[in-house]
Amino acid sequence: MTVNQVQDEIINEFSLLDGDMEMTVFYIMELGQRLSEMSETDKTEANLVKGCQSKVWLVAEVTDGNVLFKADSNTAITKGLVSLLIRIFNNQTPETILGSDLYFMHRIGMERFIGTQRSNGFASMIKQMKLYALAFKTQLAKA
Amino acid sequence: MDTILADIEKIRAQFPVLQQHVNGKPLIYFDNAATNQKPKQVIDALINYYQGYNANIHRGIHTLAEKATKAFETTRHSMQRFINAKHAEEIIFTRGVTESINLVASSYGRAFLNEGDEVIISGLEHHSNIVPWQIICEEKKAKLKIIPVTEIGEIDLNGYQKLLSTKTKIVATNHASNSLGTINPVKEIIRLAHEVGAVVLIDGAQAAAHLEIDVLSLDCDFYCISSHKMYGPTGAGILYGKKEWLEKMPPYMGGGEMIKDVTFAKTTYNDLPYKFEAGTPNIADVIALNEAINFIQSISKEVIAEHEQSLLNYATKKLSEIPSVKFIGTSKEKVAVLSFVIEGIHPFDVGQMLDARGIAVRTGHHCTQPLMERFGIEGTVRASFSIYNTTHEIDELAEAVKRIVNFMKP
């Protein structure tokens, strides 16, 4: 699926929650619970995303030209939020990630359920993922 | 019970902010230890000042200035009676407890602390009663000593006594802990400090709206209050100081209002309380603070304390029935603060899930990181109650916490 197809899928899922805040929060946490596990050895200080109020660990690798992210967080809601990004960016090429335009946050009304601090944290996660993509792009170009 | 409920409904009706829905649910405001809500009479006082007699105080000779000055000074006298201070000039207006503590640490510390002296604070303190002392101790090469905290979240009085010596110059503790609610035995703490010749500052942020405060009976040297934690506006507060100390202390800030005469060669300072009130003060908020005092007195602290204690007991009972809820801070003497953790669920998640049901609580370290470290936790969920809260709201909280536990641990 393309980045935008996944985004549209997410928008569709959230629209079924009908704006109910409690159901939305529970759903986000449920998505987090489904995220594939990250190895404990990856949960290092160096892998922490800077600028997040909660702890968010993020690692990435590139296989056959596609990026694979793994993440975890000490809070369930943040884990759910990062899982949305992973769903969008996983198995995409570095170029696609770098050139992507994320619009799903606005469409699902994310600003309603993540405050200013979490919004900044969420922006940091996206930035960190794009930095990984940039590094892989450079690496692949050299190879 | 019905009459109490009817009274509480009448009191609630005086708080415009409580008449709203959050996330589709009636707002349940349990973040009172951070700041409590304002009754209409306080909000009206702010509006009336700006619409009716906004003027700079003390130096104007026109009618508005006179009216504003009178209203401003009325609050000083009300506050004097509110805490039973001997003199009105012992009430210094500040921006709140943080500024009050900084004023004492900086001014008293600068004048009276020397190398090798010791300052004692407790392990229960808010960062605002830690950092100012760290700053002055570093500057003066004095030592900061910490009173240990027991397993139930009380000050260890034996540990305190062991720290006291002739080197002790200042002791600073809170009257009630913002994180755990523990009411500290401040009278005893003050008495013991005075025995070794130390002065005592009490951070009364969490006490002002809940406990009787009598600075004469306590015999404290300094007492600090924030207006916004006692139904008043933000940005105002007081420092009470014994006159004998305030007179000996050097000014904290220089500027207008705090001077008698200024020449380029030398400035002489104004008398108390103005010596410590440089610049145009927070006139509107101080004036409105008087209405907050009136509001508290119209109900009486006794009735407030009784209602809040019954809410605390009820909430403690209801939440203790939920498996995996653990209380942090279980002293018998507490203001209406209930701090808890849920095993395996981060406080942020709990806070956000409660917010989704319109319930406002505080989550995190509550500006008491050393205390959280003492209990080996990152933070807690803190529900704190006020006169306008009801047992029905606590039922809603308990129900919401149950849903969270069931969701996370099916």
Side-chain angles (χ1 to χ4, degrees):
Chain A
M1 280 212 279
T2 67
V3 162
N4 287 0
Q5 279 170 337
V6 182
Q7 291 199 83
D8 293 339
E9 197 178 69
I10 291 170
I11 292 162
N12 191 34
E13 285 167 14
F14 275 78
S15 74
L16 298 175
L17 300 165
D18 212 18
D20 183 286
M21 187 62 75
E22 195 182 25
M23 274 164 56
T24 307
V25 171
F26 279 152
Y27 185 62
I28 291 171
M29 290 193 299
E30 209 177 292
L31 293 176
Q33 286 173 345
R34 285 191 230 150
L35 192 64
S36 54
E37 265 189 45
M38 184 185 208
S39 136
E40 286 299 317
T41 51
D42 280 337
K43 293 181 194 171
T44 61
E45 193 75 24
N47 289 334
L48 278 174
V49 178
K50 287 176 189 67
C52 287
Q53 210 184 1
S54 314
K55 282 183 178 159
V56 180
W57 296 272
L58 180 74
V59 292
E61 57 182 34
V62 66
T63 315
D64 300 332
N66 290 331
V67 185
L68 273 178
F69 290 102
K70 276 191 174 172
D72 201 354
S73 172
N74 63 341
T75 74
I77 293 166
T78 308
K79 191 171 173 181
L81 292 173
V82 75
S83 82
L84 292 172
L85 293 176
I86 288 184
R87 191 166 143 197
I88 293 165
F89 286 147
N90 258 13
N91 292 311
Q92 305 289 352
T93 64
E95 284 83 359
T96 311
I97 294 169
L98 286 169
S100 65
D101 170 33
L102 295 186
Y103 53 80
F104 79 98
M105 299 92 88
H106 179 63
R107 295 278 298 279
I108 66 171
M110 201 153 91
E111 64 277 5
R112 280 190 314 126
F113 52 86
I114 69 169
T116 318
Q117 297 218 21
R118 274 217 165 105
S119 293
N120 294 340
F122 195 72
S124 302
M125 291 180 217
I126 297 170
K127 192 174 152 197
Q128 187 62 32
M129 289 172 123
K130 290 204 170 185
L131 279 174
Y132 268 117
L134 184 66
F136 289 138
K137 187 185 161 191
T138 320
Q139 198 181 318
L140 290 172
K142 275 185 192 161
Chain B
M1 186 71 192
D2 284 348
T3 44
I4 296 171
L5 214 58
D7 289 344
I8 298 301
E9 281 311 316
K10 267 188 218 156
I11 290 169
R12 279 184 78 84
Q14 298 175 43
F15 288 81
V17 83
L18 297 176
Q19 322 300 322
Q20 66 179 298
H21 283 65
V22 167
N23 293 323
K25 307 274 192 315
L27 166 67
I28 295 177
Y29 188 78
F30 284 158
D31 196 15
N32 294 289
T35 194
N36 58 14
Q37 298 301 343
K38 318 305 171 199
K40 193 161 180 302
Q41 70 197 80
V42 169
I43 300 165
D44 286 345
L46 285 170
I47 295 169
N48 291 342
Y49 165 72
Y50 282 121
Q51 288 188 348
Y53 57 102
N54 171 50
N56 211 334
I57 53 169
H58 294 141
R59 290 174 306 280
I61 52 153
H62 55 82
T63 305
L64 293 194
E66 181 53 34
K67 197 173 171 190
T69 303
K70 204 170 164 195
F72 185 87
E73 291 302 327
T74 297
T75 304
R76 199 185 308 273
H77 285 93
S78 301
M79 194 47 99
Q80 178 200 350
R81 288 189 296 273
F82 189 71
I83 64 169
N84 195 31
K86 211 179 205 171
H87 310 284
E89 62 268 32
E90 293 179 320
I91 309 293
I92 312 289
F93 287 117
T94 63
R95 282 186 295 153
V97 165
T98 297
E99 188 176 55
S100 300
I101 298 172
N102 274 279
L103 193 163
V104 175
S106 170
S107 169
Y108 186 93
R110 214 179 335 141
F112 297 109
L113 267 187
N114 292 304
E115 188 172 346
D117 285 346
E118 292 177 358
V119 175
I120 297 178
I121 61 173
S122 90
L124 278 174
E125 300 312 309
H126 188 283
H127 295 162
S128 62
N129 203 19
I130 301 174
V131 184
W133 304 114
Q134 285 176 328
I135 293 171
I136 193 69
C137 283
E138 196 178 327
E139 196 181 311
K140 289 288 189 169
K141 297 192 173 72
K143 266 194 196 140
L144 189 62
K145 301 257 174 167
I146 317 296
I147 311 168
V149 173
T150 67
E151 199 53 41
I152 59 168
E154 289 179 349
I155 279 181
D156 174 358
L157 273 181
N158 283 333
Y160 171 51
Q161 277 172 282
K162 280 182 201 152
L163 294 178
L164 283 168
S165 75
T166 50
K167 287 184 189 164
T168 311
K169 292 293 175 293
I170 304 169
V171 175
T173 88
N174 55 45
H175 199 158
S177 152
N178 72 306
S179 283
L180 312 181
T182 316
I183 300 171
N184 291 315
V186 284
K187 199 161 180 174
E188 182 66 0
I189 289 170
I190 294 162
R191 191 185 64 78
L192 290 166
H194 284 170
E195 274 181 9
V196 296
V199 296
V200 183
L201 175 141
I202 302 295
D203 162 2
Q206 297 299 331
H210 314 280
L211 305 173
E212 284 296 342
I213 297 162
D214 183 337
V215 291
L216 277 186
S217 155
L218 286 176
D219 197 26
C220 56
D221 301 280
F222 303 101
Y223 198 97
C224 312
I225 289 176
S226 283
S227 151
H228 75 98
K229 286 185 163 71
M230 51 175 285
Y231 309 101
T234 54
I238 64 136
L239 167 67
Y240 157 82
K242 277 183 185 165
K243 202 173 167 182
E244 53 174 302
W245 293 123
L246 293 176
E247 277 175 344
K248 286 179 193 153
M249 283 157 59
Y252 174 54
M253 284 202 293
E257 193 95 3
M258 55 77 73
I259 50 90
K260 230 177 216 143
D261 285 300
V262 177
T263 66
F264 285 121
K266 182 169 172 62
T267 292
T268 51
Y269 303 125
N270 205 339
D271 298 326
L272 290 176
Y274 311 112
K275 183 171 89 175
F276 290 107
E277 293 179 0
T280 297
N282 189 352
I283 304 167
D285 294 316
V286 166
I287 288 174
L289 170 59
N290 195 44
E291 283 305 322
I293 295 172
N294 288 343
F295 170 78
I296 291 172
Q297 283 169 343
S298 72
I299 302 169
S300 95
K301 280 230 181 132
E302 206 185 338
V303 171
I304 293 175
E306 198 182 322
H307 177 65
E308 289 176 351
Q309 279 301 318
S310 73
L311 292 175
L312 177 67
N313 294 342
Y314 186 71
T316 307
K317 182 176 162 286
K318 290 295 277 189
L319 289 184
S320 67
E321 290 162 4
I322 305 169
S324 64
V325 167
K326 187 187 167 206
F327 299 119
I328 306 293
T330 49
S331 169
K332 276 193 188 127
E333 298 288 328
K334 277 177 45 163
V335 290
V337 167
L338 193 58
S339 232
F340 61 95
V341 291
I342 305 176
E343 201 189 311
I345 310 178
H346 198 282
F348 282 174
D349 290 327
V350 180
Q352 188 141 16
M353 283 187 274
L354 291 176
D355 181 61
R357 287 178 76 83
I359 304 172
V361 294
R362 183 51 61 114
T363 61
H365 54 60
H366 318 298
C367 294
T368 54
Q369 282 179 336
L371 182 62
M372 295 296 112
E373 203 178 317
R374 154 72 181 79
F375 287 100
I377 51 179
E378 261 184 78
T380 72
V381 181
R382 182 188 71 184
S384 48
F385 311 116
S386 189
I387 185 65
Y388 41 67
N389 292 125
T390 65
T391 48
H392 169 71
E393 291 180 314
I394 290 168
D395 289 336
E396 292 286 321
L397 171 71
E399 194 50 42
V401 170
K402 265 184 219 161
R403 284 168 68 89
I404 294 163
V405 172
N406 290 340
F407 174 82
M408 300 293 274
K409 301 176 171 181

